[in-house]
């Protein structure tokens, strides 16, 4: 009898996982926009591989000037991208997203070399990190996934204002629905990290809040700000940081993520489609403050519409990234 029960349970689980895979394959959308991007300038973080590289390739293929902001300034990769897209207007820029100083240096160079910025895609991210802190006092995961993209966006607003229709895209995650963030987690203008296993989903939730707040602040300048979830994409984000998962809960989270990836994964080309849709499609030219998936609006995680929470998160983040009084957005 126990063998029969085990067989039934395994069979049911297998069928469910197969159905999940079929479902994700069926709903996978593509960016159908025919818009060209001649005369446009985009900045993509974390573009050396994965979704970021695919996004940069698609933008460059449409004639866009693309700034690749990343830690690896690979001239070979740049040459391959130029060869593939027939677009020589590719710029490599160094930035270490675990350093606010590096982010500020990047922005300084952008202000000196660009006359405007039309598209900003905050793509860089990590799945986990060591407990060691950056020189700015945060774990690498929190700084790379949340604080530095926030600071980068904040400081690039002036360049985005010079565009006829600036667009900001933040990479969130559908896993943000599992977040544990509440107003009680914010003390003395600091957002506390309570349980490490939730750090990834919490940073993705806060990213969605940031996108919404930028949408409110920048609407009057004809700048849109949206977040999106790419789905479970075949990139090494979790495997790269697997060595950092030490506790039982951490390892269970890793196993869960890898199972999801195995049965619902997309190619990087498929994972890039919603970001591209938000970056270029005419249909979303005036859409702002939304969370997208498969080129359509998605339900935001619980708490995303809590105005008090959003306000407290915004103020705490402004303080945490070290914005100067004259830099604060009204």
């Amino acid at each position: 009898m126990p063998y029969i029960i085990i067989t039934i349970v395994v069979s049911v689980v297998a069928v469910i996982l197969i159905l999940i895979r079929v479902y994700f394959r069926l709903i996978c959308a593509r960016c159908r926009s025919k818009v060209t991007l001649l005369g446009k300038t985009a900045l993509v973080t974390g573009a050396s591989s994965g979704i970021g590289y695919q996004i940069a390739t698609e933008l460059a293929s449409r004639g866009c000037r693309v700034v690749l902001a990343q830690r690896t300034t690979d001239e070979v990769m740049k040459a391959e991208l130029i060869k593939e897209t027939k677009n020589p207007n590719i710029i490599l820029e160094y930035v270490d997203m675990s350093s606010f100083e590096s982010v500020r240096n990047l922005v300084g160079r952008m202000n000196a070399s660009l006359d405007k910025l039309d598209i900003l895609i905050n793509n860089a991210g990590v799945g986990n990190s060591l407990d060691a802190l950056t020189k700015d006092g945060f774990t690498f995961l929190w700084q790379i996934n949340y604080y530095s993209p926030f600071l980068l966006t904040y400081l690039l607003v002036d360049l985005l204002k010079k565009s006829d229709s600036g667009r900001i895209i933040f990479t969130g995650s559908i896993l943000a629905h599992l977040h544990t963030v509440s107003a009680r987690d914010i003390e003395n203008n600091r957002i506390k990290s309570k349980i490490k296993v939730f750090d990834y989903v919490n940073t993705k939730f806060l990213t969605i809040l940031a996108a919404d707040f930028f949408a409110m602040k920048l609407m009057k300048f004809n700048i849109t700000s949206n977040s999106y979830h790419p789905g479970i994409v075949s990139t090494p984000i979790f495997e790269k940081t697997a060595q950092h998962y030490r506790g039982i809960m951490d390892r269970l989270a890793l196993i869960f993520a890898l199972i999801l990836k195995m049965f619902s994964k997309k190619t990087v080309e498929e994972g890039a489609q919603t970001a591209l849709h938000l970056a270029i499609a005419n249909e979303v030219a005036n859409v702002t403050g939304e969370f997208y998936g498969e080129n359509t609006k998605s339900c935001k995680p619980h708490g995303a519409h809590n105005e008090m929470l959003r306000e407290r998160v915004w103020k705490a983040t402004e303080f945490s990234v070290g914005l100067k009084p004259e830099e604060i957005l009204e």
Side-chain angles (χ1 to χ4, degrees), residues 61-116:
S61 296
R62 294 169 182 263
C64 187
R65 174 168 56 171
V66 183
V67 179
L68 312 176
Q70 55 203 41
R71 287 188 64 181
T72 306
T73 52
D74 188 341
E75 292 293 339
V76 174
M77 181 206 69
K78 175 183 174 180
E80 290 175 351
L81 187 56
I82 291 173
K83 181 179 178 181
E84 182 178 353
T85 63
K86 303 295 189 293
N87 182 352
N89 215 352
I90 309 295
I91 303 167
L92 280 180
E93 284 288 351
Y94 174 83
V95 65
D96 179 357
M97 296 296 281
S98 67
S99 165
F100 292 153
E101 180 182 13
S102 184
V103 170
R104 284 185 172 275
N105 289 339
L106 171 66
V107 172
R109 296 194 301 274
M110 293 299 92
N111 284 330
S113 63
L114 301 181
D115 56 349
K116 63 169 181 169

Side-chain angles (χ1 to χ4, degrees), residues 239-300:
E239 291 92 325
K240 274 185 177 179
T241 52
Q243 67 269 25
H244 305 318
Y245 289 85
R246 295 173 178 171
I248 293 176
M249 290 300 294
D250 289 339
R251 294 185 182 278
L252 287 175
L254 174 62
I255 291 169
F256 173 71
L258 294 180
I259 289 174
L260 272 179
K261 180 177 173 180
M262 183 185 302
F263 287 93
S264 59
K265 68 180 180 181
K266 298 178 177 180
T267 65
V268 290
E269 181 182 5
E270 292 167 338
Q273 297 304 306
T274 301
L276 291 168
H277 179 72
L278 290 171
I280 65 178
N282 289 329
E283 304 93 285
V284 293
N286 298 311
V287 175
T288 193
E290 298 291 348
F291 180 47
Y292 265 67
E294 305 304 340
N295 296 357
T296 59
K297 295 177 185 178
S298 291
C299 177
K300 292 179 183 177

